C-alpha cells in the first residue's frame, strides 16, 4: 500500500487527526485506525470533532491546514531519522510515529524557545477546544449528539425550552442577595 500523496486531503486529515489525538488521546475508531493511537480509553479529540473544528473558517487557520500537515510531517521525518525509527510508507510520517514519539515531538514543538511554537500551541489549543467545548457545534446540538467532551465533564442538559437554569446554588448557598430591582426573569429592572 502506498502512502497518500502529501498534498491529498486524506493525508492532511490523517496527520492532523494524529496531532489532535496526541493532545487529547482516545481509543481507536477501528482496529486498523492509524491516526488515533489508542493511547487512552474512551473518545478523545478526534471523536469530539477536532478536524471539523480545525476546518471551520472561524478558526482563522483553515486555509493553512495543508501547510500545518506538511510541516508536521517534516518534523516527524527528522524525529524518526534522529531516533533511527523505521519509516512506514503506508501512512504519513507523523502518523507512522509510535504514540510516545508523537508525544515527544509535540512536546518539543510547543516548548518555549521553539521557533514555530506559536503555530503548534494554536493547533493544540483547538484540539483541546474541540474536546472541552465542541466549539464547532451549537451546545444543544452537541449535547443531543452525545458530544464526548461535554459528556465527560457532566455538562447539564438545558431545560425543555432550550435554556439553562440552575435552581441549586453550586456552593450550597447564595453568594449575594438578589438586588431589589431585579425582574422575575433575573434581569435588571
Amino acid at each position: 500500500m502506498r502512502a497518500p500523496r502529501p498534498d491529498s486531503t486524506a493525508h492532511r486529515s490523517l496527520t492532523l487527526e494524529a496531532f489532535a489525538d496526541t493532545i487529547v488521546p482516545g481509543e481507536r475508531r477501528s482496529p486498523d485506525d492509524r491516526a488515533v493511537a489508542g493511547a487512552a480509553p474512551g473518545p478523545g479529540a478526534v471523536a469530539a470533532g477536532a478536524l471539523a473544528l480545525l476546518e471551520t473558517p472561524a478558526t482563522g487557520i483553515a486555509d493553512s491546514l495543508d501547510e500545518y500537515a506538511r510541516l508536521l510531517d517534516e518534523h516527524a521525518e527528522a524525529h524518526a531519522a534522529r531516533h533511527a525509527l523505521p519509516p512506514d510508507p503506508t501512512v504519513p510520517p507523523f502518523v507512522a510515529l509510535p504514540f510516545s514519539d508523537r508525544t515527544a515531538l509535540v512536546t518539543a514543538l510547543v516548548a518555549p524557545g521553539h521557533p514555530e511554537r506559536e503555530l503548534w500551541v494554536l493547533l493544540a489549543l483547538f484540539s483541546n477546544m474541540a474536546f472541552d467545548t465542541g466549539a464547532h457545534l451549537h451546545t444543544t446540538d452537541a449535547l443531543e449528539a452525545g458530544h464526548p467532551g461535554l459528556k465527560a465533564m457532566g455538562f447539564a442538559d438545558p431545560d425543555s425550552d432550550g435554556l439553562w437554569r440552575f435552581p441549586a446554588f453550586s456552593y450550597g448557598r447564595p453568594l449575594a442577595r438578589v438586588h431589589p430591582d431585579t425582574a422575575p426573569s433575573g434581569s435588571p429592572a
Side-chain angles (χ1 to χ4, degrees), residues 32-85:
D32 61 342
D33 192 349
R34 295 288 302 275
V36 178
V46 174
L51 189 60
L53 176 58
L54 291 171
E55 292 174 341
T56 302
T59 62
I61 65 168
D63 291 339
S64 302
L65 294 178
D66 289 337
E67 185 66 6
Y68 266 103
R70 186 189 66 72
L71 284 170
L72 189 55
D73 281 336
E74 284 180 8
H75 286 297
E77 287 173 336
H79 178 88
R82 279 192 306 276
H83 297 280
L85 298 172

Side-chain angles (χ1 to χ4, degrees), residues 10-39 46 51 91-92 94-99 102:
H11 181 109
R12 180 185 83 180
S13 295
L14 286 171
T15 301
L16 295 174
E17 284 182 340
F19 181 91
D21 180 65
T22 305
I23 302 303
V24 183
E27 60 192 22
R28 286 190 164 120
R29 297 166 284 190
S30 67
D32 61 342
D33 192 349
R34 295 288 302 275
V36 178
V46 174
L51 189 60
V91 292
F94 186 76
V95 177
L97 294 177
F99 185 76
R102 290 180 188 181

Side-chain angles (χ1 to χ4, degrees), residues 9 13 19 21 37 44 51 100 118 131 136 160 162 167 178 182-183:
T9 301
S13 295
F19 181 91
D21 180 65
L51 189 60
S100 59
E118 290 80 14
F131 187 81
H136 57 295
S160 60
V178 176
T182 301

